Amino acid sequence: MSMNRPTILTQQTLERVGETEVKISRSRGKPLLLLVRMASRGMGVWDTSWDYLAEYFTVAQFDLKMPSSDEMGDPASVFLGLAQDCVRIAQGLGFDRFHLLGWTGGAHVGLSCAVKFPRQLASLTLVAPFSRLPDARALSVASEFMAVLMEHGGRELYAYYWFLAGFSPAFVRRNFSEIERMVGARLDGDRFIKTNADNASQWSRVLRTFSLTDEELAAIKVPTLIIGPELDPAHIGPNAEMAEALHKRIAGSELVIGTGYGSLMLLEAPEAFQAASRSFFKTVTNKQV
């Protein structure tokens, strides 16, 4: 498939909650959906789905705080703090309850919201989430490889590897010019890739840990949709096995596997994401299915 850069038709404005700048599309009477991913707000990673999501929600996105090196020693506290930020932002925007869509690392934040703030969270959608696996040796080796790239191979090479790992091989073959553009955009605008190499490598490892217990996951009652990628060509995660494992641990959750796509399915095939999520969004927003 060929990828065209999307034109967003829904009106977007910038609002401030304390010192945090929030990009938001308000729609009267529609509940709030927070879009959560570790990538910076200016990266445009949600642009392919913004108009679609605005059919159901008031849509908002803000930059998560990059934890310090010392904080990363306790991942559970890091993700709890980011979950608290989500609650604070929602309340600052005028919403006591909110829906959350967490993508890759943002799924950690969403799960922490579901565990720690179930009264504030109306629904949870997890796209390409990480989860605990019985055998994580390949993931561990891949994480170390990514760390070496970040520390010694240069940020550009790391960014290329990250995109190549998230798209399907067919997409890479047909759209390499678009990947070059996205690498450049990430080098220019992403706070994560601009941080020092040690912090970035440590954060990459933190995203591939899983601190929530099976008991905490089993206690989640928030309506939850899990959309997992079938492909994981570089073995860096997330993958279908992780999504399936998480689905088994969260009773009542719904699971869809994006056949033929990797963790960047929202960029490569937004229509597949829409097909996987539309019924769920209609249900949790009380629209007629």
Side-chain angles (χ1 to χ4, degrees):
M1 93 176 251
S2 176
M3 179 177 177
N4 296 316
R5 297 181 65 180
T7 299
I8 297 176
L9 302 178
T10 307
Q11 183 180 7
Q12 298 175 321
T13 59
L14 293 178
E15 299 183 17
R16 299 191 73 86
V17 177
E19 297 181 354
T20 304
E21 193 170 65
V22 183
K23 179 168 65 174
I24 186 169
S25 294
R26 287 187 179 270
S27 296
R28 185 183 299 274
K30 293 182 180 179
L32 176 65
L33 173 70
L34 292 183
L35 306 179
V36 182
R37 185 170 178 178
M38 306 314 298
S40 299
R41 180 173 49 79
M43 288 296 298
V45 296
W46 299 100
D47 290 357
T48 57
S49 297
W50 193 280
D51 286 333
Y52 160 64
L53 295 170
E55 295 177 24
Y56 301 96
F57 303 99
T58 286
V59 184
Q61 182 196 5
F62 66 100
D63 283 354
L64 298 175
K65 297 176 182 176
M66 183 74 180
S68 69
S69 181
D70 290 339
E71 290 173 325
M72 287 184 216
D74 186 359
S77 293
V78 166
F79 293 117
L80 173 59
L82 295 174
Q84 290 171 329
D85 284 343
C86 290
V87 174
R88 174 180 62 84
I89 294 297
Q91 291 176 342
L93 294 173
F95 294 85
D96 291 328
R97 299 186 77 220
F98 62 96
H99 303 256
L100 189 146
L101 171 50
W103 186 4
T104 55
H108 284 303
V109 182
L111 287 167
S112 289
C113 281
V115 169
K116 302 297 183 180
F117 305 107
R119 294 183 179 180
Q120 286 78 27
L121 192 62
S123 79
L124 177 62
T125 303
L126 306 175
V127 177
F130 292 99
S131 185
R132 190 180 300 108
L133 294 177
D135 185 352
R137 288 176 294 176
L139 182 66
S140 177
V141 170
S143 296
E144 293 307 309
F145 184 76
M146 292 173 69
V148 170
L149 282 177
M150 176 62 75
E151 294 164 5
H152 305 293
R155 305 302 171 92
E156 184 178 25
L157 187 58
Y158 171 90
Y160 270 111
Y161 183 73
W162 185 83
F163 280 113
L164 295 178
F167 287 122
S168 70
F171 181 89
V172 172
R173 288 193 302 269
R174 298 169 187 168
N175 298 275
F176 201 79
S177 294
E178 180 62 16
I179 291 174
E180 289 178 324
R181 183 198 67 78
M182 287 188 282
V183 167
R186 186 168 186 194
L187 292 172
D188 288 340
D190 193 354
R191 295 170 299 113
F192 167 78
I193 211 163
K194 291 178 180 293
T195 192
N196 72 69
D198 288 341
N199 278 6
S201 297
Q202 189 175 353
W203 183 234
S204 181
R205 295 185 185 99
V206 165
L207 291 178
R208 286 160 178 80
T209 62
F210 200 79
S211 54
L212 294 173
T213 67
D214 288 352
E215 289 75 19
E216 287 176 316
L217 294 175
I220 291 176
K221 304 301 181 187
V222 173
T224 301
L225 171 64
I226 301 168
I227 303 175
E230 180 192 34
L231 304 181
D232 181 19
H235 306 287
I236 66 172
N239 54 42
E241 188 180 2
M242 290 182 178
E244 291 163 355
L246 197 59
H247 170 57
K248 291 178 181 177
R249 293 179 174 118
I250 301 177
S253 62
E254 300 179 30
L255 173 67
V256 179
I257 299 298
T259 304
Y261 301 111
S263 62
L264 298 179
M265 181 178 73
L266 266 72
L267 294 179
E268 179 174 348
E271 69 283 356
F273 166 67
Q274 293 178 24
S277 60
R278 189 175 293 278
S279 177
F280 180 78
F281 289 150
K282 286 180 178 179
T283 298
V284 298
T285 58
N286 296 317
K287 286 199 171 189
Q288 184 67 40
V289 178

